[in-house]
Amino acid sequence: MRHHVFLFLFFGLLPTSLTWAAPAQQVFTDWQVTCNNQNFCVTRNIGLHHGLVMTLSRSAGARTDATLRIELGGLDEPPATVSAIASRLMLDGKPLKPGGEHWQMTPWQLTTGDSAAINAFLQHVQDGQAITLDKGLQAISLQGLKAALLFIDSQQKRVGSETAWIRKGDDPPLSVPPAPALKSVAVVNPTPTPLTREESNDLMDYGSWRMNNSQCSLDPMRREVWVTALTDDKALMMLSCESGAYNTIYRAWFVSRQKPFASQPVRLRLPFQPASETRDVELVNASFDIKSRELVTLDKARGLGDCGVTTRWRYDGQRFRLVRYAEQPECDEWQGPDAWPTLWITR
């Protein structure tokens, strides 16, 4: 049985409820679970599903905020000729008909946020082998579903309570800890004075000097320098340094906007321990979102862009601080970077 574990360790000594939840990502056979620093958890089937996926998400706390979704899709939408899936669902070869007023249905998706409907559906399918589509190759393996649900119960400390999915008990809903307070990272100098033409030219010349004196494997003819105003007295300068088939690694500096230029390397460090065993993040496929004032990285695990790590960082006046971390370790042609599950979020 396949059983992968990716745990993200909490380094503080204070109780989790007073700070933040330890992010976690784990695979149980054919189901992946991701829980972020707010103890919001999402699980879905992975592997050879051929575009048929069931996703279940749940917020922390006493309220039973959960959503269950079964959909046919992937990186591309199904052809218009594909028949609606609701009437074609099968559980271990027998018709499966989730229905009732609490389900919303479109041709390629079934969704419910009703806790009773979710509980009834999970009770019905969790001991099965697979949900399939009649006259189709698509399949939702149910191997590992119960373990994934139990993991969410445990992560959100629901085991033994009335709200648990697997190990229910008599503890009332209010016994479940609430989500930790959502941290915020304020935007410093959100509307900096744009670089003048003279500033841009001088900084580009400085960047060219930096480029010629940096140890980079990228062909000098392919290297690029990019600068933008970060604050009224600092600029962000990035230089493409190394490149592969689908990832380009950058180096970046904080640079004063006035001569003589003073620079400081940009270093990105996570506030938690990821599965990669290093908290330092490289500037892979880096860009700067002018609208949100955030530095963005996208480390693709393969060219298709259906797996990897993407991060967003906000400048606090001294350094870039993490505002969002999303990771999809399984490459199964299901989602692009914008939909990857989050392990860290902020306000």
Side-chain angles (χ1 to χ4, degrees):
M1 179 181 76
R2 189 166 53 135
H3 186 89
H4 299 167
V5 177
F6 306 99
L7 291 180
F8 302 79
L9 302 178
F10 174 48
F11 284 98
L13 298 178
L14 294 175
T16 314
S17 60
L18 299 180
T19 53
W20 45 269
Q25 194 165 60
Q26 186 159 337
V27 173
F28 298 94
T29 314
D30 295 325
W31 282 77
Q32 174 184 286
V33 186
T34 307
C35 297
N36 65 22
N37 60 315
Q38 288 293 289
N39 253 346
F40 173 84
C41 298
V42 59
T43 184
R44 72 169 178 91
N45 60 296
I46 54 177
L48 297 176
H49 47 67
H50 298 288
L52 185 65
V53 168
M54 183 169 90
T55 305
L56 191 63
S57 61
R58 193 174 205 184
S59 299
R63 296 181 60 186
T64 54
D65 291 340
T67 302
L68 190 155
R69 186 172 67 250
I70 299 174
E71 57 191 319
L72 180 66
L75 296 177
D76 299 313
E77 285 192 356
T81 55
V82 173
S83 303
I85 66 172
S87 61
R88 299 169 56 204
L89 290 174
M90 310 285 286
L91 174 61
D92 296 340
K94 298 178 181 179
L96 174 63
K97 298 189 181 298
E101 59 180 349
H102 298 297
W103 287 85
Q104 294 78 50
M105 300 187 186
T106 63
W108 302 323
Q109 186 179 100
L110 293 79
T111 307
T112 182
D114 181 77
S115 59
I118 292 174
N119 289 339
F121 184 83
L122 293 177
Q123 285 290 324
H124 184 54
V125 306
Q126 65 188 12
D127 291 317
Q129 296 297 309
I131 297 173
T132 57
L133 281 184
D134 186 32
K135 299 178 181 178
L137 296 174
Q138 298 86 355
I140 298 170
S141 170
L142 298 173
Q143 301 301 300
L145 172 60
K146 286 185 72 172
L149 297 179
L150 179 58
F151 182 84
I152 293 175
D153 282 347
S154 177
Q155 188 76 6
Q156 296 182 342
K157 295 180 171 53
R158 297 183 184 277
V159 175
S161 82
E162 297 172 3
T163 67
W165 275 329
I166 299 300
R167 292 182 183 170
K168 290 183 178 292
D170 297 327
D171 292 343
L174 289 176
S175 66
V176 179
L182 185 61
K183 291 182 176 293
S184 63
V185 180
V187 178
V188 173
N189 205 168
T191 56
T193 305
L195 297 175
T196 65
R197 179 176 295 182
E198 182 179 0
E199 281 181 310
S200 293
N201 290 338
D202 289 344
L203 284 166
M204 289 298 287
D205 289 342
Y206 179 72
S208 296
W209 175 82
R210 272 283 182 190
M211 179 172 65
N212 294 329
N213 289 275
S214 297
Q215 295 183 342
C216 296
S217 63
L218 189 61
D219 187 323
M221 298 299 293
R222 295 178 56 199
R223 297 180 195 173
E224 294 180 342
V225 177
W226 180 91
V227 293
T228 190
L230 188 60
T231 65
D232 287 338
D233 59 3
K234 281 187 179 140
L236 174 65
M237 182 176 70
M238 293 200 297
L239 161 67
S240 54
C241 193
E242 301 176 25
S243 186
Y246 41 82
N247 285 328
T248 297
I249 299 175
Y250 289 77
R251 296 184 65 186
W253 293 265
F254 301 116
V255 185
S256 60
R257 291 177 60 166
Q258 300 297 323
K259 293 181 178 179
F261 293 125
S263 63
Q264 176 186 357
V266 172
R267 292 188 173 88
L268 304 179
R269 189 164 175 80
L270 298 174
F272 65 94
Q273 181 68 55
S276 61
E277 297 181 359
T278 176
R279 294 171 64 190
D280 296 317
V281 175
E282 288 190 303
L283 285 89
V284 183
N285 297 323
S287 61
F288 188 74
D289 187 328
I290 298 295
K291 186 174 181 180
S292 67
R293 310 298 301 167
E294 292 173 354
L295 180 63
V296 182
T297 71
L298 173 59
D299 189 352
K300 294 188 282 188
R302 64 177 184 176
L304 195 60
D306 59 339
C307 48
V309 174
T310 183
T311 66
R312 298 185 77 93
W313 306 76
R314 196 173 295 155
Y315 185 62
D316 69 356
Q318 294 185 324
R319 60 187 176 90
F320 280 108
R321 292 179 59 192
L322 182 69
V323 295
R324 187 176 185 273
Y325 180 103
E327 180 169 3
Q328 178 50 263
E330 297 293 324
C331 304
D332 61 356
E333 302 183 26
W334 179 244
Q335 295 169 320
D338 290 343
W340 291 346
T342 62
L343 289 112
W344 188 273
I345 58 171
T346 62
R347 218 191 305 266

